[in-house]
Amino acid sequence: DEHDKFCKLKDCDGIFVQVNYNPFKEDNKGHMGKKLNQDNVIVRFEFWEMIIRLAVAKHMSGKHARARDVSDAIGFLLGEQIQPNLTPEMRMDPNMFRRERLYTREVDKVLRAHYGLLRGTFHFYKLTARTKGLLLENWVEFLKDGEVMHGGGNGEAGGEGKLTMREAKQVMVWSRMYRVEDLVSKDKADACSFVEFLEAVGRAADIMSIPSKDELHDFGCMSMYEYSNMLKAGHKPLERRPSDELGAVKTRPLEARLELMLEFIWDTLVERFDATGKKQLQKKFEKLTGIKAYTG
């Protein structure tokens, strides 16, 4: 607020510098805390410190300060300056998707049916990361190779309904469990585990524009892969469903969307890696990673 004597933009910039200052290159455990806590970004505990400093500057500075206690100042800041300006995706509770969409017998059945390829894919795409988990850039590479995100495949032909970079990042962030310590290792700070990867795949299926089987049949194709090829050939895409929008009420169960999306990804990766089918694709991933996926 440029009309606020103690909380102008320059004051906010100063607070950012204050909370982000890190005089140590390594923490007492020998990990590269400096590398994980970069100078131009803030981690979670620094974010909370910045909220406190902003609240004090905004509501406890000067002779006309509204709050006498830091807790009151934080309440004013959150309730009056921050909460009214939050976008719908910022207000989302990650657990709601888990309870209402993901944690069902039907979704579990789909994931188990594709477990071997999912496991092989996870290990293949994290090869370059040299971490136990999958980094954001590996996740994005997987989405692009599978042509469920803009920028994958042979350009943007037939790209309607694909995930944007913003959605891809949101999906990964929402799928990761909370960490107690941000600076112990890159795995805990930035990477997602295999279980979190499965959740991210489910979330991607829930917001990607995926026609139903009946819609695909009426369009003249039997699968999402055929549909995508028809769009690349110049056919007009189906109209995006209102339920595909982020935060919209869903009209189809997740397992139906998930099954169609996974089959599309596998068909796309089979072509990309010059495999004869899903079984050979899985064997290629296993050979490259040296990890054999359990398929029982």
Side-chain angles (χ1 to χ4, degrees), residues 1 21 26 37 50 58 69 98 139 153 156 182 195 231 238 250 259 261-262 270 273 280 286 292 294:
D1 185 355
Y21 176 65
E26 296 187 9
N37 187 7
M50 189 168 68
K58 179 73 175 175
D69 186 82
R98 294 174 182 134
W139 166 247
E156 293 303 315
D182 292 323
V195 173
L231 296 188
L238 293 167
K250 304 301 179 182
E259 177 69 33
M261 189 190 77
L262 286 176
V270 162
F273 290 97
Q280 190 187 31
E286 291 174 352
K292 187 173 183 179
Y294 171 72

Side-chain angles (χ1 to χ4, degrees), residues 139-153 156 158-165 167-168 200-201 204-205 207-210 224 228 257 260-266 268-269 272:
W139 166 247
V140 169
E141 182 184 8
F142 162 67
L143 293 178
K144 287 184 176 181
D145 284 354
E147 296 192 21
V148 297
M149 177 180 169
H150 288 291
E156 293 303 315
E160 295 81 358
K162 294 183 179 182
L163 301 183
T164 63
M165 176 62 80
E167 289 171 334
V201 170
I207 63 175
M208 181 182 174
S209 183
I210 300 176
M224 279 280 294
S228 178
R257 304 170 65 93
L260 286 169
M261 189 190 77
L262 286 176
E263 288 294 346
F264 170 65
I265 291 175
W266 305 147
T268 304
L269 293 182
R272 174 175 290 275

Side-chain angles (χ1 to χ4, degrees), residues 121-175:
T121 299
F122 173 80
H123 285 287
F124 173 75
Y125 279 94
K126 76 179 186 69
L127 273 178
T128 57
R130 296 183 179 180
T131 58
K132 294 180 180 179
L134 196 74
L135 299 178
L136 176 62
E137 53 263 38
N138 310 134
W139 166 247
V140 169
E141 182 184 8
F142 162 67
L143 293 178
K144 287 184 176 181
D145 284 354
E147 296 192 21
V148 297
M149 177 180 169
H150 288 291
N154 300 316
E156 293 303 315
E160 295 81 358
K162 294 183 179 182
L163 301 183
T164 63
M165 176 62 80
R166 179 182 177 84
E167 289 171 334
K169 290 180 178 180
Q170 288 173 333
V171 160
M172 184 172 180
V173 170
W174 288 330
S175 300

